[in-house]
Amino acid sequence: MSPPTMVQKPVGSVGNLKTPVVRLDSGANDTQVSFADWEKFNFAPIRESTVSRAMTKRYFNDLDKYTESDIVIVGAGSAGLSAAYVLAKNRPNLKIAIIEASVSPGGGCWLGGQLFSAMVMRKPANLFLDELEIAYEDEGDYVVVKHAALFMSTLMSKVLQFPNVKLFNATAVEDLITRRDESTGELRIAGVVTNWTLVTLNHDTQSCMDPNTLNANVVLSTTGHDGPFGAFCAKRLESLRPKSANEPFELGGMRGLDMNKAEDAIVKGTREVAPGLVIAGMELAEVDGSNRMGPTFGAMALSGVKAAESVLNVIDIRKKQNESCYGGSQN
Ligand code: AHZ
């Protein structure tokens, strides 16, 4: 049975505070909660197992549904979520899974830089802020959002509301699914290998704990620059591909900070780096050996926008390739 829909309706005020009193409409059990009457207040009853089933049933249904995804986005930072927004909005028929290693999605975008709140974006990235309806101060060549968390929370909230998006957080991508084309020898990325992040972090202390898998037509990796988790897919790709004349692939390694060069390079370089694998955001600096930009976020947003375009440019070809092996996509 599906849960009753809760509709919040302001129906009055408390004392002189003009605080709205909320009435909860839940089907037949129309109840009015007066926040002024705390002595009589109580929640509707529930059994613990009901809570457990409410969560696990949905999670495992989602896992079942997204185990064949159209797109898997690795990393829910500013680049990954910007791409997710564009993809989900423009192609509501595509199933988009986002895998985020941290419990809290958002990556490095909760502060503008160091411990400062304001977030700077150089024009024309303000057009993306306009799309998201996020207010900013216009300073000429650049704009300032009053808090980076306002950008991230708005973006995240919009992405999570799309019905074709599922965020699996506290889950790490720890390998890639690969396919080698028998006739051309080309190596294609066809999905991701995952585990609970707490398990990934403890492989050395436990006996073998095998992972889970998600097939995808295209993997978009936005895991940020190198670090304990960062640049994951780029590093894995480098170790998968022999450095031969046919398959040269060597990481460039992120260079020092140059805001002007770095932002243009990241956006321009965002692309399908290997068949089935698009890389965007700061992970791309590790691939191409381009500069870091530090605390200015326009390139992350627009690299996400270009990544969405790159994914859509190749998804039909990659889908066809997937369908021609091992039973195809079983949606
Ligand atoms: O937790 C990571 C973060 O939320 C997540 N992630 C990394 N490896 C993962 C893995 N599986 C699942 N193996 C993984 N998730 O990816 C997210 C990356 O977000 P980010 O904000 O670090 O990357 P971004 O490229 O979107 O933005 C980078 C912004 C910049 S620029 C910069 C500089 O120039 O110094 N520094 C930062 C943080």
Side-chain angles (χ1 to χ4, degrees), residues 68-145:
E68 278 284 355
S69 289
D70 291 293
I71 303 155
V72 166
I73 298 177
V74 191
S78 41
L81 289 176
S82 298
Y85 174 85
V86 177
L87 287 165
K89 184 171 178 188
N90 289 289
R91 296 289 292 270
N93 56 326
L94 295 179
K95 276 192 281 179
I96 304 164
I98 306 174
I99 312 292
E100 168 52 54
S102 175
V103 171
S104 47
C109 196
W110 291 110
L111 288 163
Q114 199 162 300
L115 293 177
F116 311 131
S117 320
M119 187 186 75
V120 172
M121 277 200 185
R122 290 160 64 202
K123 289 183 178 175
N126 58 313
L127 298 176
F128 191 62
L129 297 174
D130 294 341
E131 163 69 23
L132 297 174
E133 298 177 314
I134 296 172
Y136 53 78
E137 283 175 78
D138 193 328
E139 297 280 5
D141 285 339
Y142 67 97
V143 301
V144 183
V145 179

Side-chain angles (χ1 to χ4, degrees), residues 73-81 99-109 152 168 171-175 197 200 221-225 228-233 254-255 257 262 266 280-284 291-297 300:
I73 298 177
V74 191
S78 41
L81 289 176
I99 312 292
E100 168 52 54
S102 175
V103 171
S104 47
C109 196
M152 182 41 72
F168 295 96
T171 306
V173 168
E174 53 177 42
D175 208 343
T197 302
T200 299
S221 189
T222 58
T223 66
H225 55 67
F229 273 106
F232 179 80
C233 294
M254 184 178 72
R255 303 291 155 92
L257 193 151
I266 292 291
M282 282 314 284
E283 187 169 359
L284 196 74
N291 297 94
R292 68 192 300 186
M293 73 283 299
T296 168
F297 284 85
M300 295 303 108

Side-chain angles (χ1 to χ4, degrees), residues 89-316:
K89 184 171 178 188
N90 289 289
R91 296 289 292 270
N93 56 326
L94 295 179
K95 276 192 281 179
I96 304 164
I98 306 174
I99 312 292
E100 168 52 54
S102 175
V103 171
S104 47
C109 196
W110 291 110
L111 288 163
Q114 199 162 300
L115 293 177
F116 311 131
S117 320
M119 187 186 75
V120 172
M121 277 200 185
R122 290 160 64 202
K123 289 183 178 175
N126 58 313
L127 298 176
F128 191 62
L129 297 174
D130 294 341
E131 163 69 23
L132 297 174
E133 298 177 314
I134 296 172
Y136 53 78
E137 283 175 78
D138 193 328
E139 297 280 5
D141 285 339
Y142 67 97
V143 301
V144 183
V145 179
K146 72 174 184 178
H147 205 300
L150 173 62
F151 168 74
M152 182 41 72
S153 59
T154 307
L155 174 61
M156 196 185 296
S157 140
K158 288 188 190 267
V159 167
L160 291 177
Q161 287 181 61
F162 286 114
N164 55 331
V165 170
K166 169 68 189 180
L167 169 69
F168 295 96
N169 48 333
T171 306
V173 168
E174 53 177 42
D175 208 343
L176 297 169
I177 299 176
T178 60
R179 301 268 189 264
R180 195 170 284 280
D181 189 300
E182 304 277 315
S183 51
T184 63
E186 184 182 70
L187 190 72
R188 182 164 51 82
I189 306 304
V192 293
V193 178
T194 64
N195 219 323
W196 311 122
T197 302
L198 290 177
V199 172
T200 299
L201 292 172
N202 280 286
H203 280 309
D204 292 345
T205 64
Q206 305 292 322
S207 59
C208 177
M209 282 197 225
D210 266 318
N212 190 26
T213 55
L214 270 76
N215 284 98
N217 294 320
V218 182
V219 173
L220 165 58
S221 189
T222 58
T223 66
H225 55 67
D226 201 0
F229 273 106
F232 179 80
C233 294
K235 286 189 286 189
R236 186 66 182 117
L237 191 64
E238 187 188 41
S239 63
L240 283 172
R241 300 177 73 170
K243 290 167 200 151
S244 68
N246 293 339
E247 289 189 339
F249 187 85
E250 205 172 340
L251 291 184
M254 184 178 72
R255 303 291 155 92
L257 193 151
D258 182 336
M259 279 185 192
N260 286 286
K261 273 191 171 178
E263 289 214 277
D264 291 3
I266 292 291
V267 175
K268 285 184 181 156
T270 299
R271 65 190 183 282
E272 191 187 39
V273 165
L277 178 66
V278 174
I279 296 188
M282 282 314 284
E283 187 169 359
L284 196 74
E286 300 290 353
V287 175
D288 289 347
S290 52
N291 297 94
R292 68 192 300 186
M293 73 283 299
T296 168
F297 284 85
M300 295 303 108
L302 297 192
S303 174
V305 173
K306 190 169 177 223
E309 202 179 295
S310 308
V311 167
L312 295 178
N313 282 341
V314 298
I315 195 159
D316 292 338

